[in-house]
Amino acid sequence: ADTSLSALGSAQSALAALRLCEVGGALQGGSIQGIEAVYSSTMQRAQHTAEILAAQAGLGKVKLDGRLRERSVGEWSGLTYAEVQQLWPGYLKARRLPPNYETDDMVLPRVFSALEAVRAENPGGRVLLVCHAGIIYAVEAYLKAKQ
């Protein structure tokens, strides 16, 4: 579900901006040293996180890309853990996927397409990209499998 960022999430994003400034080196010209652009999923919580990071670190306007959206969990979208257990008994325990779940094989082509576009727009540059855990896990699993 496309939920908004909570107050806690907003505070965590502001703290993350400060940490990025520390990790990225001293602030230089009002921005994180070496970061040229900020990209984000179009989903509310990621977009809001990216906007907080960009504003606090002086990184300019966030560039949105729908290909960075979280994977679809199909018919489980918007449901709580308890609701999933009630409507699909045994699925979670058996690690079964819901109908219309977006698998890694479905996620990776759109994500890699987005990453390639970011790379093409920023040749040799460093960017900050805000997306979602499901996307990160899919890319991480792909890269580990290639080793």
Side-chain angles (χ1 to χ4, degrees), residues 40-144:
S40 174
S41 158
T42 55
M43 296 184 84
Q44 293 179 62
R45 63 190 183 278
Q47 185 177 346
H48 189 197
T49 298
E51 288 167 352
I52 291 169
L53 293 169
Q56 290 207 358
L59 295 173
K61 187 168 174 55
V62 174
K63 298 177 182 185
L64 302 177
D65 192 322
R67 295 171 293 184
L68 298 172
R69 292 176 66 83
E70 179 63 287
R71 77 168 71 233
S72 171
V73 293
E75 295 180 28
W76 291 0
S77 185
L79 300 178
T80 65
Y81 184 85
E83 289 169 333
V84 169
Q85 285 185 308
Q86 179 184 7
L87 296 169
W88 284 274
Y91 267 62
L92 295 172
K93 186 174 183 177
R95 300 182 146 227
R96 291 178 58 197
L97 300 175
N100 301 313
Y101 180 87
E102 190 177 20
T103 65
D104 286 0
D105 289 340
M106 300 162 104
V107 166
L108 290 172
R110 71 174 165 86
V111 172
F112 287 145
S113 173
L115 294 176
E116 180 57 35
V118 168
R119 188 180 69 77
E121 289 175 17
N122 304 277
R126 291 175 59 196
V127 301
L128 176 64
L129 192 138
V130 180
C131 61
H132 307 274
I135 300 302
I136 294 167
Y137 295 150
V139 171
E140 183 179 47
Y142 173 83
L143 294 174
K144 282 182 179 178

